[in-house]
Amino acid sequence: MNQKLERMKELSALLTEASRAYYQADDEIMSNLEYDRLYDELAQLEKETGTVLAGSPTILVGYEALETLPKERHEAPMLSLDKTKSPEALAEFAGDHVILLSWKLDGLTVVLTYQGGTLVKAVTRGNGEIGEVITNNAKVFQNIPLRIPYQGELVLRGEAIITYPEFQRINEEIDDAEARYKNPRNLCSGSVRQLNNEITAKRHVRFYAFALVKADGVDFQNSRGKQLDWLRSQGFEAVEYRKVTAAQVPETVQWFAEKIQHYEVPSDGLVALYDDIAYGRSLGRTAKFPRDSIAFKWKDETMETCLREIEWSPSRTGLINPVAIFDPVELEGSTVSRASVHNISILRSLKLGIGDRITVYKANMIIPQIAENLTKSDSVEIPGVCPACGGATEIRSTTDAVETLYCTNENCSAKKIKSFALLVSRDALNIEGLSEATLEKFIGHGFIHTFADIFHLAEHRETIVQMEGFGEKSYANLIQSTERARETTLPRLLYGLGIPNIGAANAKLICRSFAYDLDQIRSATAERLAEIEGLGEVIASSVVDYFADADNQRVLDELLLELHVEKPELSGGVQQSLTGKTFVITGSVEQFANRNELKAFIEERGGKVTGSVTKKTNYLINNDTASASTKNKKAKELGIPILSERDFLEMCGAEDHAG
């Protein structure tokens, strides 16, 4: 059964990726025959197992927006668990009985109900007595089976979570640092309780079953472990557990403690539960807690150290966060030397001063935090100027009276993080190792103020190699990448400047039109630029306005001193036979190594390549000229010629192309 479920997951992923490529990117990664064969195999496995996994291509779940989430009372109150931080207490709890030790997941508890093998209801824990009905949202969780083999009424509990990698991905898409989510639990709670389940689907919520409430007619041999194993056989992902005796508790707790260092699922401890169902039920409950289970919270390891510095780290929103730098200590298996203090209010409450003795720990064994200030000298001065730009700072209070520090300079280099990120991006100078997060750190340290400063990072070697996430090797790779970037082309440079409305394709058009002469481009009039096919007045004005700014000219001049801009040989070069022609490329290519090479071939001859078929498109290139793809249909509707590569090369006067 498990092998069949694993194969179903594999098939579902393959078919979903093929559909996405075909319908969204007009790209075929498998033939229709192969797709149909795999689809039939999946459908047969679903029939054999009686299980349909979430996201299966054989079933579509529609998106639906609700005005409110209805509330519903649970049949039995969902109690909290009593807690301990002592492994000895867990062993005492076990006594002479076998217990299950499993993860205590840090998300949102959800109760699922299935009838006749179909998911009919999902309700959040709420306050333990009344929860919110989120059935619509649960149907788009990544791993919940929508149909299962068991045909009776099944009620189970589990935790909806968002993994750390997914949490990081979502936060990286939010420009405003203050708007980012504080932890995966908060993000998950908001995602599960959305009124529009299309938003929920994009958050990639997962569900881990941890308790079976009802499944009449199934013999679980009086074992909670067998209940979890049975849920797995129905297509659910169940929480990982270990079956142990009292004597095995310490080593098993240690096993979980080591695993959590790299565990992608948020967990704030463990749960101990008697495997013997009848015995657990016989114990009853207190007014607050069930007696058949207990939660184990990680005991935070704390270390004493000395505060050496408060680093003030500006962000793109102007917010300046205090970061504590202290003598390195070993915590939970790794060396830490810095911890965010978050805001001015926390800084003041800790009464921090340079040289103070402080204790530090890792919240949930992951995030370094200051636990206590033992000396409380309260001597840290709040800077009056921004470390990135030297502009004036001010303290602002939020609605809940939390005080934060801000840079007031609208032109602060830290606020221009996106412009630096564009300059070093793949289609511009292509400097590897300079992510937005790294740029933000370097700007915060005052290493980078203008574009040219990127090529002087070697001056800050000693500091960089000590920074979190860096070392000698990553530093060396970064410097090598910046040195390689000194050799570039004018289209890459022009695109990297971040001129409004100038993408990589328009940058190439402009450079070709001015014979790759930057001086001519810098002094060009809007009328001259607007004459370039495909540009127009708006884009022309953007270029003129950019170069009319004296600061932009100064920054560019400084950057040019660091670069060698290659100028292509124009005499006897390729004829501009495709000037004024717009192409769209779809499907696989045969005469070229890939689509990008075909695109470069077109642009080298004066043509332009876009991503979608419109009235402005002159030709669609697709080797499968008779396919029923979206782009082929659109081209036929608009009367746009569909060319194979052979047709295209013949039109260009080239019988063949050697890639």
Side-chain angles (χ1 to χ4, degrees):
M1 180 69 173
N2 286 339
Q3 286 183 334
K4 289 183 178 181
L5 289 172
E6 287 303 313
R7 178 58 176 164
M8 287 163 61
K9 291 176 184 177
E10 182 183 348
L11 289 169
S12 182
L14 283 170
L15 292 167
T16 299
E17 176 60 19
S19 294
R20 186 205 62 78
Y22 186 83
Y23 290 108
Q24 296 179 24
D26 282 311
D27 188 15
E28 291 188 24
I29 62 175
M30 66 174 65
S31 67
N32 288 338
L33 185 66
E34 177 69 2
Y35 184 94
D36 291 342
R37 184 184 70 77
L38 296 178
Y39 184 97
D40 291 344
E41 182 185 352
L42 176 60
Q44 180 60 32
L45 285 171
E46 289 178 345
K47 184 177 180 181
E48 290 174 11
T49 62
T51 303
V52 178
L53 300 174
S56 171
T58 66
I59 188 167
L60 294 176
V61 177
Y63 295 130
E64 182 181 347
L66 304 175
E67 292 185 3
T68 59
L69 290 174
K71 290 181 168 53
E72 182 172 299
R73 183 174 293 277
H74 297 295
E75 287 187 17
M78 297 180 64
L79 303 178
S80 300
L81 298 181
D82 200 0
K83 299 176 180 64
T84 180
K85 287 192 174 184
S86 165
E88 293 75 18
L90 282 185
E92 186 179 337
F93 170 82
D96 297 329
H97 297 272
V98 172
I99 62 171
L100 306 185
L101 273 183
S102 62
W103 295 112
K104 183 177 181 295
L105 300 182
D106 192 17
L108 192 70
T109 300
V110 176
V111 183
L112 302 181
T113 301
Y114 287 76
Q115 291 176 349
T118 300
L119 175 65
V120 294
K121 187 166 60 179
V123 185
T124 66
R125 179 184 184 277
N127 62 7
E129 294 188 0
I130 298 175
E132 292 176 308
V133 180
I134 56 154
T135 312
N136 205 35
N137 295 341
K139 288 180 178 179
V140 296
F141 287 2
Q142 276 211 309
N143 63 336
I144 281 185
L146 302 178
R147 286 206 296 266
I148 60 174
Y150 179 70
Q151 295 298 298
E153 183 177 34
L154 169 66
V155 181
L156 70 151
R157 294 173 182 171
E159 199 81 354
I161 61 93
I162 287 178
T163 63
Y164 284 113
E166 189 64 22
F167 169 72
Q168 184 176 356
R169 179 192 69 79
I170 293 170
N171 260 353
E172 285 175 352
E173 294 175 355
I174 302 173
D175 289 338
D176 186 349
E178 290 181 89
R180 292 174 185 162
Y181 296 94
K182 303 302 181 190
N183 53 58
R185 188 188 187 284
N186 288 357
L187 173 59
C188 182
S189 178
S191 302
V192 168
R193 300 172 62 251
Q194 289 288 328
L195 296 177
N196 184 345
N197 68 341
E198 185 171 7
I199 298 173
T200 307
K202 292 176 180 177
R203 302 281 176 80
H204 296 172
V205 178
R206 301 188 71 83
F207 176 87
Y208 289 88
F210 62 67
L212 189 147
V213 179
K214 180 181 182 181
D216 295 338
V218 182
D219 181 11
F220 298 111
Q221 300 171 39
N222 195 38
S223 168
R224 293 290 186 190
K226 290 192 181 299
Q227 286 184 333
L228 291 174
D229 295 341
W230 180 79
L231 285 172
R232 287 192 180 94
S233 75
Q234 298 294 307
F236 296 95
E237 285 193 61
V239 67
E240 184 177 24
Y241 73 85
R242 290 288 182 274
K243 195 178 283 191
V244 298
T245 62
Q248 296 170 317
V249 165
E251 64 184 76
T252 308
V253 168
Q254 183 59 32
W255 182 86
F256 277 106
E258 290 173 3
K259 183 163 184 176
I260 199 176
Q261 306 293 333
H262 310 288
Y263 197 44
E264 292 187 346
V265 178
S267 167
D268 56 358
L270 304 174
V271 173
L273 172 71
Y274 292 116
D275 185 49
D276 187 322
I277 297 174
Y279 175 72
R281 285 176 176 166
S282 72
L283 298 175
R285 69 186 199 191
T286 68
K288 293 177 64 177
F289 309 120
R291 289 196 175 100
D292 68 344
S293 52
I294 187 172
F296 171 80
K297 302 285 284 186
W298 301 116
K299 187 174 182 179
D300 298 317
E301 179 186 2
T302 61
M303 294 292 292
E304 185 177 328
T305 185
C306 182
L307 180 66
R308 295 300 179 187
E309 179 188 354
I310 292 293
E311 174 189 292
W312 297 91
S313 178
S315 70
R316 70 197 69 179
T317 63
L319 177 66
I320 304 176
N321 289 309
V323 179
I325 312 296
F326 44 81
D327 290 341
V329 291
E330 288 288 322
L331 276 176
E332 312 290 359
S334 65
T335 303
V336 296
S337 59
R338 54 194 290 124
S340 175
V341 188
H342 302 294
N343 53 56
I344 302 296
S345 296
I346 293 176
L347 180 84
R348 286 174 169 163
S349 67
L350 287 168
K351 297 184 178 179
L352 293 174
I354 306 306
D356 280 353
R357 300 299 299 177
I358 60 174
T359 59
V360 293
Y361 71 103
K362 281 186 175 179
N364 286 339
M365 303 178 72
I366 297 170
I367 304 169
Q369 301 281 338
I370 296 177
E372 186 180 3
N373 183 2
L374 303 176
T375 45
K376 299 182 179 179
S377 66
D378 199 16
S379 59
V380 168
E381 293 186 7
I382 298 169
V385 296
C386 171
C389 70
T393 62
E394 68 177 20
I395 297 174
R396 300 175 185 172
S397 290
T398 63
T399 51
D400 51 359
V402 173
E403 292 186 320
T404 51
L405 188 67
Y406 276 84
C407 172
T408 60
N409 177 16
E410 288 301 321
N411 294 312
C412 176
S413 53
K415 295 180 182 179
K416 297 181 179 179
I417 187 73
K418 288 290 186 186
S419 64
F420 287 101
L422 176 63
L423 181 72
V424 304
S425 66
R426 184 181 60 184
D427 291 334
L429 297 189
N430 191 25
I431 301 179
E432 296 178 1
L434 279 181
S435 64
E436 284 195 21
T438 300
L439 283 166
E440 198 163 339
K441 287 180 185 177
F442 288 177
I443 291 169
H445 277 78
F447 300 163
I448 298 174
H449 296 278
T450 67
F451 289 161
D453 292 334
I454 289 170
F455 295 92
H456 297 280
L457 291 173
E459 297 173 6
H460 310 285
R461 176 190 168 281
E462 290 187 10
T463 304
I464 293 174
V465 295
Q466 297 298 323
M467 291 173 65
E468 189 175 354
F470 268 87
E472 292 288 354
K473 185 176 181 181
S474 53
Y475 165 79
N477 290 339
L478 172 60
I479 297 303
Q480 288 173 12
S481 185
T482 56
E483 289 305 309
R484 286 195 299 269
R486 290 182 185 275
E487 299 289 330
T488 192
T489 64
L490 189 57
R492 283 179 170 273
L493 173 60
L494 192 63
Y495 167 65
L497 294 177
I499 302 171
N501 304 309
I502 299 298
N506 285 334
K508 291 175 183 176
L509 285 175
I510 293 170
C511 290
R512 280 199 299 267
S513 181
F514 286 91
Y516 296 87
D517 188 324
L518 179 57
D519 289 335
Q520 285 191 36
I521 296 172
R522 292 171 78 161
S523 60
T525 63
E527 290 75 20
R528 169 67 180 86
L529 286 160
E531 291 173 0
I532 301 173
E533 181 72 28
L535 245 60
E537 295 179 3
V538 174
I539 297 176
S541 296
S542 294
V543 177
V544 172
D545 290 345
Y546 181 87
F547 289 116
D549 188 304
D551 284 337
N552 290 338
Q553 293 276 17
R554 174 183 56 78
V555 168
L556 176 56
D557 285 335
E558 292 174 356
L559 179 58
L560 286 170
L561 294 175
E562 308 295 335
L563 302 174
H564 175 257
V565 182
E566 173 191 337
K567 189 169 184 178
E569 188 61 53
L570 297 177
S571 58
V574 178
Q575 285 192 350
Q576 302 295 286
S577 58
L578 301 180
T579 299
K581 300 288 192 295
T582 299
F583 296 80
V584 172
I585 306 168
T586 190
S588 58
V589 293
E590 300 164 358
Q591 301 295 317
F592 295 80
N594 49 48
R595 290 194 206 176
N596 283 337
E597 188 177 291
L598 173 53
K599 179 183 177 185
F601 182 91
I602 293 169
E603 291 175 343
E604 191 179 10
R605 287 155 179 77
K608 183 178 180 181
V609 178
T610 62
S612 56
V613 177
T614 68
K615 292 179 181 178
K616 294 183 179 180
T617 304
N618 296 104
Y619 299 98
L620 171 64
I621 300 176
N622 186 355
N623 282 318
D624 188 356
T625 57
S627 83
S629 71
T630 305
K631 288 179 180 176
N632 272 30
K633 288 178 181 177
K634 187 70 173 177
K636 289 174 182 176
E637 287 174 12
L638 297 173
I640 294 167
I642 303 173
L643 307 177
S644 67
E645 278 177 279
R646 290 284 185 186
D647 298 333
F648 167 72
L649 289 169
E650 286 177 14
M651 184 181 80
C652 295
E655 291 297 318
D656 201 354
H657 172 76

